[in-house]
Amino acid sequence: MEEGNSIIYGLEHQTRALSPQYGENDAIRFLIGTQSLKPESNQVHVVELEEDTGALHTKVFKHDIGEIWHLRCSPHDAATLLTTHNSYDPNTSQCTMGVSVFKLPTVEVIPKDLDDLSAIQGRNPENMELMTTIRPEAIGEKSKSQMALIGTSNSLPILREYPNRLMAEWDGEWPPGLMSVLLIQKSGEEIRCGEWHPTEASRIGVVYEGGVSVHDVTKGDVVATTATQARARQNLTGGKWNPHQGHTQFAVLQDMHIKCYDTRTDCTKPSWSIDNAHKQLARDLDFNPNRQFHLASAGDDAALNIWDYRNGREPIFSRTDHSHWVWTVRYNTYHEQLLLTGSSDARALLTAAASVCKDLDEEAAKISQALEDGVLQSYEQHEDSVYACEWSASEPWTFASLSYDARLYIFMIIINMMEYCSHLWDGSAKYLLDALDRLQQRAIRIIGDEVTKP
Amino acid sequence: MAEPIENGENPLNIDGSNFNADMYLECIMKHTTLKQVMDKEAEIVTQSQFLQSEMQTLVYENYNKFISATETVRKMRSDFIIMQEEMNKLSENMNKITSFSAQISESLKESGSNVSRLCGTRQLLDKLQFLFLLPSQLNNAILEGRYVDAVHDYTHAQRVLQKYGNQPSFQSIQTECSEIIYGLKKSLRERLLNPETSASELAESVGLLRQLQETDSSLRDIFLNCAESRLDQHLQTLNSILESADIIEWVEKCNNTLLADLGIIVSCYHEMFQDEDTSNIPGFADKILFQVFHLFEEVSKRPENVGTDILIRGLDKFFRKLQAMKEIISSDTVSEKAVNVVVQCISNKATIQYQTIQTQFKESLMKVRQSLASKGSESSDLKDILNSLQVYLMQKVQASLLDLMAFLQNNLSFGLKPWCAKAVADSCWKVISETVINLSDMVKKMACLQSSNNNIPFELLLILAKLCLEMQETGVTTLHCHLIKLLEESAPGLVVENKDTNSVMVHLSTAAQSALDSEVVFIGQTAAQMLRVSVLARDWLRAPEPRGPRAVCRRVVETLASADSAASQLFPTSIKPSSDSSRRTIWSRAPSSFSPINRIFSERIEVFSPAGADRAALSNGALKVALKALVECVRLRTFGRHGLQQLQVDVHFLQQRLSCMGNDERLLNALLEDALSSAQLRCVDPQLMEPSIVDIICERG
């Protein structure tokens, strides 16, 4: 495999948050959030890979509301994004977390003409202010006062433990519709992440230490909440909407288990669960985009497991290729056989799980045949823990991985995949060959490698 | 003299027969002088005179003889006349004698023929009497059970009866006889079908029936059917005593009843139907023997027959009998099966052996586990436990090998056969390899179980790992040598092909590795869990000023130290490079140095990597797991100034206490540095304490 097909992008501060621009179908674009406790120093970087030249273009936006722990672009609008952030208030010496929705002024990153280009390149350092045109859409004093209101009134320990109960208790006095921005609430309560609803543009699910709530961004209502069972006292580490089952299920990672709640119910009981999905803490999960009962999970036991949650006792696929905790796992959106994992052993692994992805259409079957289960490629370029890696939303053979030491690598596995499939070309249908031909031409264009020219 | 010498033809030779006087004269006249002629004449004259006188003497002499001869002839003539007369008399007498003898013979002729006719009548009458008496005789014989006589008589009479059967008087006899014989046949058939009759009687009956010209095929079928039913009966009896009798009793019973009868039946069958096709006999015998073998297998598997001695004795008897049977039945399958039975017995025995070893070993392991769980590693000597386990295992295996050697005793019917020796050798190796593989599987399973639930003491894993390694290093070879020695003693000259010890070794080494890995991960995770919970639960932002290392650090150190000391008991300590670099303080690094550049120059740390089999490597492995978790957890928190300082103290404490474990200080320092620099990055007010104060706090705490 060629190691050269990577493009590096460095940032100044530590980074954990990475998201592809889901709403974008043409450009390969990733958003990165920085994590720095220094006030007014956090940024959102929009990185676009110009496919034809292999050049990286970036735009930087200010994110003064705090360090970014988690970032998600809206699947409904390319310009909208959701950050989970944390800020330190030296006056109260408290940290406050929140989830905010932002709108980028423009999604365009690549300068239109040469003047622009030179202008940007020439004025890079101070240009930051100029370019950071983004502001949280509707953050206002109101929400801050609300925060204080909640912050002052929840001194009881039980309230600290079960924040969602708190919200429910406060339901009566809650000014309806006031929460136009979801600046959520009390100090000490940690927010793990915010996730866009797969179909409803205004709805998000927020995972706290101790529960999940679903919010309406436009109205600010709390649509549904769930708290972990009182006796369990096991904190949540993350969660995700189930893209199948009518988009009403939200799956959370609770300690070693995976639990899925139906947001239409009162959420006292999970609609399904996988107990002891990992031998240690479960860190991340991703649903198979094509198979409604399959999901992949990763955890502190360094394992990547694939489950059929109808029978959650044994994983249908399990690999332990990393040598430390696995922090993220992602299905390729087009080829469910390919999984990407990032780990604190400073590696990203591309793993094939062909054996559990059979009986699909002809093309997929061929790819499955060509692949063997196991690691296809280990990406060793990182020097620190890889907390996030994401497939591009527009280009199935491109992905980005982000390590804590603020290095983003964008990898293109296009050539390699062509090699995998090359023996299948014989006898393929014309439309397939055409598609492959286009891919190859594009690859040659991008890499500029004379050797691969036919 | 001028005359030619030759006589005979020479007409000139005066003494020759062809003398020609004229030629002689003429010759003399021509060739000689007168004087000579004169001399010649005188000579001839004298010679003639001499001859004249000689002739006269001869005539006189012979004349006397002639006269006497004439007299003799005359005398003879008169004698002959007397003789003639006597001869005539003789011939006359002879004639008389002849006539007399003719007369006598004439008169005797009549009485002679009378006598001979009487004799014939007598014989006929005898036969007739025999015939007339035949029915009653037959009846008598049958009543007395002398079936053989009856059939003998009948077969004698039968020809006659058949010849004269059309005569009325004989007809009745014949019918009577036929009836009797029919009855006899019936009774014989009944006897055949009667389960009481013995095999020899059975054979006899069938022989008789055959003499009575029963058709062969039906007879054969009947014979076999009867035999089978009788053998079935035996089988049932044998089956019924299966529960109660021990193997020797059973085999004796089997030999005496079933196999003996089978032998008789088969040999009788061969005798009787020797001229015919005997192809169905081997099948028949095989069918019976198959059931016998089946029963024998069951018997040999019964728990009371597990003892090697009794099993071997029973097997020996059985095999002897089968060897004998082989001669009779002359079927290859029988001998093959007999061999199979022995081989099967041996391998069954081996299976039982290694299963027992496994269960016993498991039990002893359980005991060890309990004692470890109750006492803890400080009070128990792991080396002792390891030794006792290993010795126990080796002894068990060696004992079972010795036990299996009993199959090769010289006095056994199968003891000296090469196939038996081979079977024993194979079984012995099976015992060894299966035991070892079971051990490895068990260790692997425990290692696997360990990672899912933590109720197996880690000391046990260490012991098992060491046990596997020891077995791999010496145990298997020792056992293999032991086996070869035993085989040489018991079966000298047997060539044992070398067994593949490698696959067994691979099993052992993978098992040991997984046990070690599991132990390292367990210890590491235990410590990591403590660190993780303590880091995540604490409010680092508003922490008070540090007064000493947190309690959890002590616990982590204790956990790691106990594992280290346990490992030191079992695994060799590699020489630790003594260096004072451990005193080096590690917070001299500014947070700005937290950059990829630094990492490029340090090696990548593989946290969950296979653990080496020595004390330092084990400790290193656990340290890595624990401290990497600390780093990751620290990065998830936000620190205040005092929180950072508390962590500084903790890190210093850990560095001091852990540097004696493992042998890779660089690794320890790198991880601790990482933790501290991560905390600095996550600190809102990153101010570290003075190193001297940290030292004091650590010592005080």
Side-chain angles (χ1 to χ4, degrees):
Chain A
M1 282 231 174
E2 293 144 77
E3 293 258 328
N5 305 336
S6 64
I7 295 156
I8 186 169
Y9 177 67
L11 292 84
E12 281 154 33
H13 298 295
Q14 271 59 52
T15 47
R16 270 178 193 273
L18 173 70
S19 171
Q21 206 167 40
Y22 292 112
E24 174 63 55
N25 291 326
D26 297 324
I28 300 172
R29 219 171 273 157
F30 291 98
L31 274 72
I32 311 164
T34 62
Q35 191 185 28
S36 165
L37 284 164
K38 286 187 197 128
E40 316 279 305
S41 67
N42 284 298
Q43 296 158 340
V44 171
H45 290 233
V46 182
V47 179
E48 177 168 348
L49 174 69
E50 195 179 352
E51 271 188 277
D52 295 349
T53 60
L56 270 187
H57 300 276
T58 52
K59 263 192 180 176
V60 183
F61 300 98
K62 268 190 188 166
H63 188 274
D64 287 339
I65 201 165
E67 54 173 5
I68 302 168
W69 283 84
H70 194 259
L71 189 154
R72 274 281 161 263
C73 289
S74 167
H76 316 290
D77 174 19
T80 310
L81 66 139
L82 185 69
T83 60
T84 306
H85 47 79
N86 175 48
S87 63
Y88 174 70
D89 183 359
N91 300 326
T92 57
S93 70
Q94 275 188 337
C95 280
T96 314
M97 292 194 84
V99 174
S100 302
V101 180
F102 295 94
K103 196 167 174 76
L104 301 174
T106 168
V107 293
E108 293 300 322
V109 177
I110 301 174
K112 287 280 186 301
D113 49 46
L114 222 63
D115 289 348
D116 257 0
L117 184 70
S118 58
I120 289 166
Q121 279 170 349
R123 299 175 287 156
N124 221 359
E126 77 260 39
N127 228 5
M128 297 292 271
E129 276 87 9
L130 256 171
M131 276 175 64
T132 51
T133 46
I134 200 139
R135 290 267 169 254
E137 230 179 8
I139 188 158
E141 288 303 308
K142 266 187 279 181
S143 55
K144 276 189 179 165
S145 69
Q146 235 173 31
M147 224 166 67
L149 169 73
I150 301 161
T152 49
S153 57
N154 62 13
S155 52
L156 292 170
I158 181 154
L159 298 183
R160 290 174 78 120
E161 269 186 54
Y162 309 113
N164 307 301
R165 296 259 175 87
L166 162 85
M167 293 185 76
E169 275 171 39
W170 279 84
D171 214 19
E173 299 171 33
W174 208 264
L178 248 175
M179 270 189 70
S180 55
V181 175
L182 294 164
L183 245 172
I184 299 168
Q185 75 244 47
K186 76 188 175 81
S187 58
E189 171 75 11
E190 287 185 14
I191 302 172
R192 298 300 186 200
C193 62
E195 292 282 347
W196 293 99
H197 190 276
T199 50
E200 286 177 50
S202 63
R203 191 169 279 201
I204 60 167
V206 179
V207 183
Y208 307 93
E209 234 179 330
V212 180
S213 60
V214 181
H215 301 267
D216 195 306
V217 187
T218 49
K219 285 186 270 170
D221 288 347
V222 174
V223 180
T225 60
T226 167
T228 52
Q229 282 132 348
R231 58 172 181 80
R233 302 195 69 178
Q234 289 166 328
N235 290 341
L236 304 185
T237 45
K240 228 173 212 171
W241 289 97
N242 185 348
H244 311 292
Q245 310 294 335
H247 315 292
T248 57
Q249 291 188 344
F250 195 87
V252 294
L253 300 155
Q254 183 175 26
D255 203 55
M256 303 185 287
H257 322 294
I258 299 169
K259 289 182 175 161
C260 189
Y261 297 93
D262 194 320
T263 51
R264 293 167 300 183
T265 65
D266 59 356
C267 299
T268 49
K269 204 166 75 181
S271 44
W272 53 263
S273 65
I274 300 170
D275 285 346
N276 293 313
H278 287 271
K279 287 164 193 160
Q280 307 279 321
L281 205 68
R283 290 270 173 203
D284 196 15
L285 86 167
D286 197 28
F287 284 92
N288 187 319
N290 303 326
R291 287 163 196 272
Q292 53 173 341
F293 299 114
H294 282 196
L295 65 101
S297 69
D300 282 3
D301 57 358
L304 159 67
N305 291 344
I306 297 179
W307 304 86
D308 185 330
Y309 64 74
R310 290 167 297 182
N311 179 16
R313 273 191 294 278
E314 289 288 327
I316 53 175
F317 176 90
S318 182
R319 302 271 317 180
T320 311
D321 296 313
H322 281 291
S323 69
H324 202 240
W325 305 350
V326 186
W327 288 75
T328 177
V329 57
R330 288 290 177 271
Y331 270 106
N332 187 304
T333 25
Y334 295 87
H335 301 281
E336 50 170 350
Q337 295 89 345
L338 301 177
L339 285 131
L340 193 60
T341 49
S343 156
S344 38
D345 64 359
R347 284 193 186 93
L349 290 185
L350 181 64
T351 304
S355 62
V356 290
C357 300
K358 293 202 172 112
D359 68 64
L360 275 183
D361 60 89
E362 224 173 297
E363 190 187 1
K366 274 183 181 172
I367 290 175
S368 285
Q369 261 178 7
L371 290 174
E372 269 178 37
D373 280 2
V375 176
L376 290 179
Q377 173 76 309
S378 174
Y379 297 93
E380 315 250 346
Q381 281 90 336
H382 289 288
E383 298 290 344
D384 204 337
S385 305
V386 178
Y387 293 127
C389 51
E390 296 281 354
W391 294 99
S392 161
S394 57
E395 166 55 56
W397 302 116
T398 303
F399 71 88
S401 65
L402 183 68
S403 57
Y404 192 60
D405 58 358
R407 291 290 177 276
L408 177 83
Y409 282 91
I410 297 178
F411 295 98
M412 284 150 293
I413 53 172
I414 181 160
I415 295 282
N416 307 324
M417 280 317 295
M418 298 290 278
E419 278 167 7
Y420 277 123
C421 302
S422 60
H423 68 283
L424 298 173
W425 293 357
D426 275 355
S428 298
K430 189 171 183 306
Y431 75 93
L432 272 177
L433 283 174
D434 287 349
L436 288 169
D437 225 31
R438 275 202 303 281
L439 278 176
Q440 177 133 0
Q441 292 303 328
R442 205 156 144 203
I444 292 161
R445 223 170 39 238
I446 293 166
I447 310 300
D449 187 353
E450 295 299 316
V451 181
T452 52
K453 246 172 207 167
Chain B
M1 297 250 295
E3 291 112 321
I5 309 291
E6 59 268 354
N7 305 330
E9 272 79 20
N10 194 357
L12 301 180
N13 187 2
I14 200 158
D15 292 330
S17 51
N18 292 349
F19 180 69
N20 193 331
D22 291 336
M23 269 175 78
Y24 186 75
L25 268 180
E26 201 178 328
C27 185
I28 287 174
M29 292 302 192
K30 275 181 194 170
H31 293 289
T32 51
T33 60
L34 188 62
K35 174 84 168 88
Q36 276 173 328
V37 176
M38 288 303 285
D39 285 352
K40 193 77 189 176
E41 194 196 359
E43 190 191 350
I44 287 169
V45 170
T46 34
Q47 274 180 358
S48 300
Q49 283 169 347
F50 176 73
L51 280 171
Q52 193 76 33
S53 69
E54 211 171 59
M55 201 174 67
Q56 271 176 345
T57 359
L58 276 172
V59 169
Y60 282 125
E61 268 177 19
N62 286 323
Y63 184 71
N64 281 342
K65 281 180 188 175
F66 181 72
I67 290 168
S68 68
T70 312
E71 266 176 31
T72 309
V73 168
R74 201 182 295 140
K75 217 169 130 195
M76 270 175 71
R77 193 180 289 166
S78 66
D79 283 356
F80 268 123
I81 291 164
I82 298 164
M83 207 124 88
Q84 184 75 41
E85 274 172 19
E86 286 204 352
M87 281 307 284
N88 283 348
K89 262 195 237 169
L90 184 64
S91 73
E92 213 169 287
N93 286 343
M94 279 313 287
N95 280 344
K96 271 183 199 160
I97 287 167
T98 313
S99 67
F100 274 128
S101 98
Q103 265 176 352
I104 289 165
S105 61
E106 189 91 354
S107 58
L108 281 179
K109 192 177 162 188
E110 202 174 332
S111 62
S113 69
N114 275 347
V115 168
S116 66
R117 210 178 56 215
L118 278 174
C119 279
T121 318
R122 169 67 202 258
Q123 273 179 349
L124 197 62
L125 279 176
D126 271 356
K127 278 183 191 167
L128 279 176
Q129 193 189 13
F130 173 71
L131 276 183
F132 287 124
L133 284 178
L134 186 62
S136 61
Q137 284 252 335
L138 286 177
N139 273 335
N140 277 346
I142 288 167
L143 278 179
E144 286 164 33
R146 291 181 284 111
Y147 297 113
V148 187
D149 292 348
V151 172
H152 183 77
D153 289 351
Y154 176 72
T155 42
H156 270 281
Q158 205 181 19
R159 233 172 335 122
V160 182
L161 285 174
Q162 265 175 4
K163 201 167 173 187
Y164 302 103
N166 46 359
Q167 306 223 339
S169 54
F170 288 129
Q171 221 162 17
S172 69
I173 293 171
Q174 196 186 9
T175 47
E176 204 175 339
C177 282
S178 322
E179 267 165 34
I180 291 165
I181 290 300
Y182 180 71
L184 176 63
K185 279 185 192 168
K186 218 166 87 179
S187 71
L188 280 174
R189 273 173 196 271
E190 268 165 23
R191 201 165 71 155
L192 277 181
L193 296 172
N194 187 357
E196 304 283 309
T197 45
S198 70
S200 53
E201 282 176 331
L202 184 71
E204 183 196 84
S205 309
V206 175
L208 293 177
L209 279 173
R210 192 172 144 71
Q211 283 183 31
L212 292 175
Q213 299 192 332
E214 281 289 302
T215 47
D216 277 333
S217 60
S218 70
L219 199 59
R220 230 171 23 212
D221 290 346
I222 291 165
F223 178 71
L224 287 182
N225 278 342
C226 296
E228 198 181 341
S229 71
R230 295 169 39 69
L231 291 174
D232 269 347
Q233 218 174 1
H234 284 314
L235 277 175
Q236 273 164 20
T237 334
L238 287 173
N239 202 5
S240 66
I241 62 164
L242 206 66
E243 302 285 316
S244 53
D246 70 11
I247 188 163
I248 295 177
E249 266 178 66
W250 190 90
V251 167
E252 263 170 16
K253 180 103 183 160
C254 176
N255 285 352
N256 292 341
T257 57
L258 194 137
L259 293 181
D261 279 3
L262 183 65
I264 292 169
I265 286 162
V266 172
S267 52
C268 284
Y269 188 94
H270 278 300
E271 239 171 63
M272 285 185 290
F273 308 108
Q274 53 188 255
D275 45 339
E276 282 151 58
D277 159 52
T278 53
S279 58
N280 51 353
I281 257 296
F284 170 76
D286 285 351
K287 204 166 71 183
I288 298 292
L289 283 175
F290 176 74
Q291 296 179 37
V292 175
F293 286 136
H294 184 69
L295 282 176
F296 181 78
E297 220 166 274
E298 271 181 35
V299 168
S300 64
K301 273 183 188 162
R302 288 188 56 74
E304 65 262 24
N305 295 329
V306 164
T308 317
D309 206 32
I310 190 168
L311 177 72
I312 286 175
R313 265 160 56 206
L315 187 64
D316 182 37
K317 282 192 175 169
F318 192 62
F319 188 73
R320 272 181 213 281
K321 187 72 190 174
L322 285 176
Q323 291 292 96
M325 293 289 294
K326 194 176 78 180
E327 309 279 307
I328 299 167
I329 297 176
S330 70
S331 147
D332 285 340
T333 46
V334 174
S335 55
E336 221 170 82
K337 275 207 179 136
V339 169
N340 270 349
V341 162
V342 176
V343 172
Q344 190 70 40
C345 266
I346 294 171
S347 85
N348 278 349
K349 189 74 200 162
T351 312
I352 291 167
Q353 297 277 24
Y354 69 70
Q355 277 167 355
T356 352
I357 291 175
Q358 202 196 353
T359 46
Q360 284 170 343
F361 185 71
K362 257 187 188 162
E363 275 163 27
S364 63
L365 212 56
M366 276 303 281
K367 274 184 215 145
V368 169
R369 186 170 153 181
Q370 277 161 5
S371 75
L372 277 178
S374 59
K375 273 196 274 181
S377 62
E378 275 80 13
S379 53
S380 46
D381 188 353
L382 302 183
K383 196 103 189 162
D384 268 2
I385 297 172
L386 170 70
N387 277 342
S388 67
L389 276 180
Q390 194 182 358
V391 168
Y392 182 81
L393 192 66
M394 296 289 275
Q395 277 176 349
K396 286 281 169 201
V397 174
Q398 284 175 353
S400 66
L401 293 188
L402 206 59
D403 205 25
L404 282 172
M405 288 303 152
F407 282 97
L408 291 179
Q409 284 162 18
N410 287 352
N411 53 354
L412 296 179
S413 49
F414 47 78
L416 291 174
K417 303 279 194 295
W419 52 262
C420 179
K422 192 177 174 301
V424 169
D426 285 348
S427 301
C428 286
W429 178 246
K430 199 166 128 198
V431 168
I432 296 173
S433 63
E434 284 295 321
T435 307
V436 168
I437 287 169
N438 278 335
L439 171 72
S440 343
D441 284 352
M442 197 166 66
V443 171
K444 273 183 215 161
K445 221 161 65 191
M446 276 184 142
C448 207
L449 222 70
Q450 165 63 280
S451 47
S452 55
N453 62 342
N454 304 332
N455 54 4
I456 297 169
F458 68 90
E459 295 95 333
L460 187 63
L461 282 176
L462 280 176
I463 291 172
L464 287 176
K466 186 67 181 171
L467 179 62
C468 285
L469 289 174
E470 293 266 310
M471 287 298 286
Q472 188 197 351
E473 266 167 36
T474 57
V476 173
T477 7
T478 312
L479 287 175
H480 195 219
C481 293
H482 184 73
L483 169 63
I484 286 170
K485 215 172 72 198
L486 281 177
L487 282 175
E488 257 169 29
E489 278 168 17
S490 313
L494 173 73
V495 184
V496 194
E497 72 265 41
N498 260 338
K499 304 293 181 184
D500 176 30
T501 49
N502 276 346
S503 64
V504 179
M505 300 297 196
V506 169
H507 271 280
L508 280 173
S509 65
T510 53
Q513 189 60 57
S514 61
L516 286 178
D517 288 352
S518 165
E519 192 265 352
V520 164
V521 169
F522 169 67
I523 296 296
Q525 295 283 23
T526 314
Q529 187 75 7
M530 286 183 211
L531 288 169
R532 184 167 75 90
V533 169
S534 74
V535 169
L536 292 184
R538 195 175 173 90
D539 185 357
W540 293 95
L541 208 52
R542 277 161 293 188
E545 223 175 320
R547 299 186 175 282
R550 287 177 304 140
V552 68
C553 296
R554 286 179 204 288
R555 289 210 307 279
V556 166
V557 169
E558 273 166 27
T559 309
L560 293 172
S562 75
D564 190 50
S565 74
S568 72
Q569 285 189 46
L570 292 173
F571 292 94
T573 315
S574 46
I575 300 142
K576 195 165 146 47
S578 58
S579 69
D580 283 325
S581 63
S582 62
R583 308 302 302 167
R584 186 171 65 95
T585 47
I586 58 170
W587 44 81
S588 50
R589 214 171 74 175
S592 61
S593 71
F594 181 81
S595 74
I597 306 295
N598 273 5
R599 289 167 183 277
I600 286 169
F601 297 114
S602 61
E603 261 176 58
R604 190 186 281 265
I605 297 165
E606 299 291 338
V607 182
F608 299 146
S609 54
D614 79 40
R615 174 194 175 181
L618 290 172
S619 299
N620 278 346
L623 278 179
K624 272 190 298 189
V625 176
L627 296 181
K628 179 72 177 173
L630 177 68
V631 173
E632 290 300 331
C633 289
V634 161
R635 287 182 181 181
L636 290 172
R637 305 292 300 173
T638 311
F639 291 79
R641 193 176 68 193
H642 290 146
L644 175 65
Q645 288 173 350
Q646 176 69 61
L647 195 85
Q648 188 187 2
V649 172
D650 289 354
V651 163
H652 186 69
F653 178 78
L654 288 176
Q655 193 207 11
Q656 273 185 336
R657 300 300 165 92
L658 297 181
S659 61
C660 59
M661 284 173 227
N663 56 0
D664 197 348
E665 254 174 70
R666 199 184 46 74
L667 176 106
L668 174 73
N669 288 339
L671 283 167
L672 286 173
E673 267 175 47
D674 223 4
L676 193 59
S677 57
S678 293
Q680 269 175 288
L681 278 172
R682 297 293 311 151
C683 183
V684 291
D685 181 16
Q687 285 181 16
L688 289 170
M689 252 196 283
E690 278 297 307
S692 54
I693 305 174
V694 175
D695 255 341
I696 293 165
I697 291 178
C698 274
E699 269 155 39
R700 198 177 58 196

